[in-house]
Amino acid sequence: AQSVTQLGSHVSVSEGALVLLRCNYSSSVPPYLFWYVQYPNQGLQLLLKYTSAATLVKGINGFEAEFKKSETSFHLTKPSAHMSDAAEYFCAVSKMDSSYKLIFGSGTRLLVRP
Amino acid sequence: DTAVSQTPKYLVTQMGNDKSIKCEQNLGHDTMYWYKQDSKKFLKIMFSYNNKELIINETVPNRFSPKSPDKAHLNLHINSLELGDSAVYFCASSPSGTSGDNEQFFGPGTRLTVL
């Protein structure tokens, strides 16, 4: 069965610092993996997705994630945090059956300090 | 021009009432979903429809009934509301239910508060 685990319910960084949000997955088959962002009082927006084309995936707003099969990880990074990056971030895996439903992690709240 | 819209945005009601939340997408997508986000931000799928046919029905009380009058609409009706139904409900859509790499587009959410 597919699942994702996000380590750290809250991550706090200074503006301009590196952002690292962790996601580990569990899947018996090559997974499809996603990162979504939720700004306050809004719906979720796709940041990037991994579909086996390339292990380093670039997304919107300067974010990228690297798929590491040996570590079963798909961590999200951004070289320099901006105040506008403060939001909730969700890692998700697509269930590889006929439903292809998304299974979300518990989310990580990113706080950016001035 | 909103891609996935939901009405209402806020819904406050008493226990025992029946209420509906409406969702519409203008993206031409085949598949639509309902998710529930609880107070701890945990997001869980409830239902999914593909071309008006129910394809995902998670372990959800029978009081919740989705209805898809056409491919662009997926409404959620809730009977006999309970305190535990208080949450934010998100509608989403994707191009197809037959490929796991399709992006899902989310609506702005409906915050339901049951008193």
Side-chain angles (χ1 to χ4, degrees):
Chain A
Q2 285 82 27
S3 66
V4 290
T5 302
Q6 291 184 243
L7 296 175
S9 58
H10 292 79
V11 170
S12 181
V13 300
S14 297
E15 191 173 19
L18 172 71
V19 175
L20 171 60
L21 304 182
R22 297 177 188 275
C23 174
N24 287 89
Y25 69 90
S26 172
S27 179
S28 56
V29 297
Y32 294 135
L33 294 161
F34 305 79
W35 275 100
Y36 280 84
V37 60
Q38 184 180 24
Y39 297 105
N41 298 314
Q42 293 187 29
L44 279 72
Q45 179 184 4
L46 182 70
L47 275 177
L48 49 81
K49 65 180 180 182
Y50 168 76
T51 58
S52 76
T55 56
L56 183 62
V57 182
K58 294 188 184 299
I60 62 171
N61 301 338
F63 284 93
E64 62 182 37
E66 186 171 7
F67 174 75
K68 290 187 177 180
K69 185 178 178 182
S70 60
E71 299 176 9
T72 60
S73 68
F74 189 56
H75 301 331
L76 182 71
T77 60
K78 182 173 180 177
S80 176
H82 193 272
M83 297 297 291
S84 60
D85 294 327
E88 191 88 23
Y89 291 80
F90 293 92
C91 182
V93 63
S94 181
K95 190 167 171 65
M96 302 304 279
D97 60 19
S98 57
S99 71
Y100 292 110
K101 66 181 181 184
L102 286 180
I103 299 167
F104 284 89
S106 53
T108 298
R109 171 73 60 88
L110 176 64
L111 307 167
V112 182
R113 303 185 302 271
Chain B
D1 196 17
T2 306
V4 182
S5 59
Q6 295 179 227
T7 53
K9 190 166 173 63
Y10 300 96
L11 185 52
V12 181
T13 188
Q14 300 286 332
M15 263 197 318
N17 284 350
D18 303 339
K19 289 293 178 187
S20 291
I21 306 172
K22 295 187 176 185
C23 178
E24 177 181 3
Q25 55 96 3
N26 62 8
L27 298 167
H29 289 166
D30 297 322
T31 308
M32 296 184 72
Y33 311 81
W34 276 111
Y35 287 87
K36 179 180 180 180
Q37 186 175 47
D38 63 22
S39 59
K40 290 187 165 67
K41 299 286 187 179
F42 186 67
L43 202 64
K44 191 165 189 290
I45 191 163
M46 301 172 70
F47 303 103
S48 174
Y49 272 73
N50 182 260
N51 279 320
K52 302 198 306 175
E53 182 182 342
L54 182 67
I55 58 172
I56 296 174
N57 186 350
E58 292 293 292
T59 310
V60 176
N62 291 338
R63 299 181 295 102
F64 291 80
S65 54
K67 285 201 172 43
S68 182
D70 55 59
K71 210 169 72 164
H73 296 84
L74 180 62
N75 303 323
L76 183 65
H77 189 75
I78 316 170
N79 289 328
S80 304
L81 277 155
E82 300 178 357
L83 293 176
D85 298 332
S86 296
V88 181
Y89 293 84
F90 286 101
C91 177
S93 72
S94 69
S96 171
T98 58
S99 177
D101 65 341
N102 283 323
E103 175 184 355
Q104 292 186 21
F105 292 78
F106 283 76
T110 296
R111 183 175 295 275
L112 171 65
T113 303
V114 182
L115 304 174

